[in-house]
Amino acid sequence: MLVCPVRDCHLPLVRDNRRVACERGHSFDIARSGYINLLQPQDRRSRKPGDSNAAIAGRRRLHDLGVTAPLLDAISEMIGRSSDDTVLDAGCGDGFYLGTLARRFGFSGHGVDISVPAIEIAAKQYPECSWIVANADRFLPCSDDSFSLVISITARMNPAEFRRVLGKNGQLLIALPAPDDLIELRGRGRDRTARTVDTFLRDFALVKQTRVTTSADLDAAAVRDVLNSVYRPMRAQPVEATRVTFSLDLLLFR
Ligand SMILES: [Zn+2]
């Protein structure tokens, strides 16, 4: 299912002890914790600030506090999978959503993210899934028609690649920050659903759309974790305990 990420190669990668390699001899080590780093030299400069260790650890603590559980449950209900499914999470971060859903449904889970520290945490926490470091904006290192579902949760989107790796009758779940997401910390955001649906209309048809909203009373440390975990810079303000809204627009395509 994995293919070589080297430009113009894209031959299947075959596992050979502690590495994977293609027929042309491009080879990639399997890390001790089980993930594979397929990042190419030209991908390395596109690291995002949100990928800092502080951001990753902060997001993980928010998941552990349970504040994202209602979001997870809404995604779970929308995708409704079985153990026969093969699922790709493109931009999986620390793997919380994919790893938890894979345990819930028993499907085969595959996560791709550009951040090495995030994938390392994912691989340690959810060793039953497979974890790949790669730049999904450029190319998904997966063969055509590999998956029955692709999920993209507040990540960057690559419609052509999502379409290519999805099999017949495949579905795509997109989660976007809704306008009231973190409204207490950064004010009301834009509604991105219409533009996102437009972006995907060439390759996909919209099946279902819903919004899930939850809020949590966070102490100052948790608020700081939220501030660290979002990419966009925010107004400087004192960090104090407050109620924070978390809200996602969910779009299911086929
Ligand atoms: Zn190759």
Side-chain angles (χ1 to χ4, degrees):
M1 184 184 304
L2 277 182
V3 300
C4 181
V6 173
R7 191 177 287 163
D8 301 328
C9 181
H10 299 182
L11 286 176
L13 289 174
V14 179
R15 192 176 176 140
D16 166 25
N17 198 16
R18 296 304 299 168
R19 51 179 215 139
V20 294
C22 78
E23 262 182 22
R24 291 196 179 93
H26 304 128
S27 84
F28 306 89
D29 292 337
I30 301 171
R32 196 181 298 271
S33 50
Y35 71 88
I36 303 172
N37 188 341
L38 299 182
L39 216 54
Q40 291 296 285
Q42 68 267 23
D43 294 328
R44 290 179 203 278
R45 58 186 147 80
S46 55
R47 296 279 309 256
K48 292 164 287 192
D51 295 325
S52 72
N53 287 317
I56 294 159
R59 234 173 277 143
R60 186 68 239 177
R61 282 192 294 270
L62 291 169
H63 295 317
D64 292 340
L65 279 175
V67 302
T68 50
L71 309 179
L72 173 77
D73 289 342
I75 291 169
S76 175
E77 194 178 318
M78 198 150 188
I79 62 173
R81 293 290 128 176
S82 76
S83 58
D84 295 334
D85 281 285
T86 306
V87 179
L88 173 73
D89 187 346
C92 63
D94 69 5
F96 166 73
Y97 288 102
L98 179 70
T100 313
L101 292 167
R103 283 179 187 168
R104 190 171 291 187
F105 292 109
F107 60 60
S108 157
H110 307 265
V112 173
D113 200 275
I114 196 169
S115 161
V116 173
I119 285 289
E120 213 160 62
I121 285 174
K124 284 179 182 152
Q125 189 111 12
Y126 310 100
E128 66 275 30
C129 295
S130 78
W131 303 101
I132 306 296
V133 182
N135 183 357
D137 289 351
R138 201 181 293 271
F139 169 70
L140 285 168
C142 313
S143 48
D144 299 358
D145 308 330
S146 292
F147 302 101
S148 53
L149 174 71
V150 171
I151 63 178
S152 164
I153 298 174
T154 64
R156 292 172 62 152
M157 296 167 273
N158 188 336
E161 280 294 273
F162 292 173
R163 175 69 193 86
R164 181 181 66 78
V165 301
L166 274 170
K168 200 165 177 282
N169 303 319
Q171 290 195 322
L172 170 68
L173 183 280
I174 302 283
L176 307 162
D180 56 345
D181 187 49
L182 311 182
I183 190 166
E184 299 84 356
L185 299 176
R186 65 175 178 206
R188 182 165 293 276
R190 286 181 299 123
D191 186 328
R192 300 147 191 261
T193 54
R195 211 181 73 182
T196 305
V197 169
D198 274 356
T199 306
F200 281 90
L201 272 188
R202 209 173 66 98
D203 294 304
F204 293 91
L206 185 65
V207 177
K208 221 190 302 184
Q209 176 174 355
T210 188
R211 177 170 292 172
V212 53
T213 304
T214 183
S215 63
D217 290 310
L218 301 182
D219 63 18
V223 172
R224 192 172 299 114
D225 284 340
V226 174
L227 293 171
N228 280 335
S229 72
V230 291
Y231 297 138
R232 266 148 294 154
M234 274 175 284
R235 289 169 289 145
Q237 54 189 313
V239 175
E240 50 192 35
T242 182
R243 169 157 288 223
V244 177
T245 301
F246 298 85
S247 188
L248 293 177
D249 280 316
L250 305 182
L251 303 170
L252 186 67
F253 295 90
R254 63 177 162 78

